[in-house]
Amino acid sequence: MHVVFLIYPNVTQLDFTGPAQVLSRLPNARVDYAWKTREPVLTDSGFSVLPTATLAEVTHADILCVPGGIGCTDVMEDEEIVAWLAETGAASTWVTSVCTGSLILAAAGLLTGYRATCHWAWHDYLALFGAEPVRQRVVFDRSRVTGGGVTAGIDFGFALMATIAGEEHARMVQLGLEYDPAPPFDSGAPDKATPETVARLSTLFAGQGNDRDARIRAVAERSKETA
């Protein structure tokens, strides 16, 4: 079972380390972290990850997964990566994502006509690429599986594991990892957080990339022209 995560500068590390921890427990699993080179890739948490494969070395996967992160817009604009994703995704059994990774998949034309989810702050952009946005933590649509923001990647990993290897195997892995979440605050979604918290975080997100909206819309327009 070959699992491949695309990693890139300013990727959110938990977007891929969370599901990787789970999916590495699939029977006969082999996990690769792919990038253009094997040089260290800096995550948005301030530490680097060493790729185990280059994009040129990966042409298909049993599970292809694209995580999100601050650098996702840069990746959506990178024609080399988009072309690699389109080709590799077409040859892969499962095409998946976590958080804003679904926007990267969408930019590669891999979510057109599919139901999908994303981080709540970026969710509505999916429709620009012909995907159907669904506000769920994990969304399955045929061979496409998308997870919501960051921590949803762990739930995504278990849901996909249960589909592939059976619920009993997934339950066993869950016990082994002691995945028994009990957050100290019930503030993990916009409809649960206070309006003040949502407004404060939205302002923070806006400050991370003032041109984000225009750049994503430009990628969406280009993808329509080349479809």
Side-chain angles (χ1 to χ4, degrees):
M1 177 65 65
H2 191 197
V3 185
V4 178
F5 289 90
L6 172 69
I7 58 174
Y8 51 86
N10 281 318
V11 66
T12 294
Q13 61 86 18
L14 190 57
D15 279 11
F16 69 90
T17 55
Q21 189 69 58
V22 176
L23 295 174
S24 66
R25 265 63 172 179
L26 280 166
N28 301 312
R30 177 169 67 92
V31 182
D32 274 315
Y33 307 95
W35 180 235
K36 293 180 180 182
T37 71
R38 290 179 181 259
E39 296 299 313
V41 174
L42 185 65
T43 72
D44 67 359
S45 296
F47 64 84
S48 295
V49 176
L50 197 63
T52 60
T54 64
L55 301 185
E57 294 170 330
V58 178
T59 58
H60 69 280
D62 294 298
I63 300 172
L64 175 64
C65 186
V66 181
I70 298 171
C72 74
T73 312
D74 293 332
V75 176
M76 293 169 70
E77 295 172 331
D78 190 316
E79 294 181 3
E80 178 187 351
I81 300 174
V82 169
W84 176 83
L85 273 174
E87 184 174 352
T88 306
S92 297
T93 305
W94 294 96
V95 177
T96 72
S97 65
V98 176
C99 197
T100 55
S102 59
L103 294 179
I104 299 174
L105 286 182
L110 293 169
L111 289 182
T112 305
Y114 287 87
R115 299 166 70 250
T117 193
C118 190
H119 188 288
W120 63 266
W122 302 60
H123 194 265
D124 293 341
Y125 286 117
L126 284 167
L128 297 176
F129 296 90
E132 180 185 343
V134 179
R135 291 196 179 275
Q136 293 177 5
R137 195 158 172 83
V138 181
V139 175
F140 280 75
D141 188 348
R142 291 159 284 173
S143 62
R144 307 304 194 249
V145 190
T146 51
V150 193
T151 60
I154 299 173
D155 294 349
F156 148 83
F158 278 114
L160 184 55
M161 171 177 280
T163 299
I164 293 172
E167 185 175 318
E168 182 53 40
H169 181 79
R171 286 177 177 273
M172 181 183 67
V173 173
Q174 180 181 4
L175 177 59
L177 296 178
E178 199 173 350
Y179 180 53
D180 188 23
F185 315 108
D186 193 15
S187 185
D191 58 340
K192 296 179 179 179
T194 65
E196 293 79 13
T197 301
V198 174
R200 185 178 179 188
L201 185 60
S202 297
T203 300
L204 245 167
F205 282 155
Q208 291 176 347
N210 294 328
D211 60 347
R212 179 181 73 186
D213 182 80
R215 291 172 66 190
I216 293 176
R217 291 180 183 278
V219 172
E221 285 302 314
R222 286 198 299 273
S223 67
K224 291 175 184 177
E225 292 171 3
T226 58

